[in-house]
Amino acid sequence: MSLVQLSLATGFLLILLGLYGALTNRDIIRMIVSFTIADTGVNVVLVAVGYLPGREAPILDTIPVAEAASRITDPVPQALVLTAIVIGLGVTALMLAYAYRLFRARGSLDISEFTELKW
């Protein structure tokens, strides 16, 4: 099994574990942690998809410009993952702040107790 296949398998496993945890837990904090695990799995998959074996980092000081297109790795997936990490951190902070407000207002984080908006 190559490094790319192992990374893809690990990423998809993290996604599945996160989704399973989000769907089976009743506690809001555990659901938030599960969503964060799934988000990490998506980031690992994106990095694994962007990896090209035998390529180097896109630093043009060490690689001649004429050979750059065939020897460097595309930096766009890595930049996308960095952006996704920052967005994921913001979303996690927002979910935690919302959970804190729910706990202060109701005294519980069990999602089955919040039934006002159910039909």
Side-chain angles (χ1 to χ4, degrees), residues 4-118:
V4 175
Q5 292 172 338
L6 182 63
S7 298
L8 284 171
T10 303
F12 284 124
L13 180 67
L14 285 171
I15 292 170
L16 290 175
L17 283 173
L19 290 177
Y20 175 77
L23 294 174
T24 58
N25 285 317
R26 305 304 294 169
D27 186 47
I28 292 176
I29 298 294
R30 289 184 183 193
M31 292 173 72
I32 292 170
V33 170
S34 298
F35 279 122
T36 306
I37 290 171
D39 181 49
T40 302
V42 170
N43 292 337
V44 170
V45 168
L46 285 174
V47 168
V49 167
Y51 175 74
L52 297 171
R55 301 276 181 115
E56 297 180 28
I59 302 171
L60 295 179
D61 292 343
T62 60
I63 300 171
V65 177
E67 300 175 10
S70 63
R71 290 184 52 193
I72 65 171
T73 302
D74 185 17
V76 173
Q78 296 160 3
L80 180 69
V81 168
L82 285 174
T83 305
I85 289 170
V86 172
I87 292 170
L89 179 67
V91 169
T92 302
L94 184 66
M95 287 190 293
L96 287 172
Y98 184 62
Y100 176 73
R101 293 281 294 161
L102 280 175
F103 183 75
R104 295 275 296 186
R106 303 288 178 88
S108 174
L109 289 175
D110 187 8
I111 199 167
S112 62
E113 294 181 12
F114 303 109
T115 60
E116 289 81 26
L117 295 178
K118 289 187 177 178

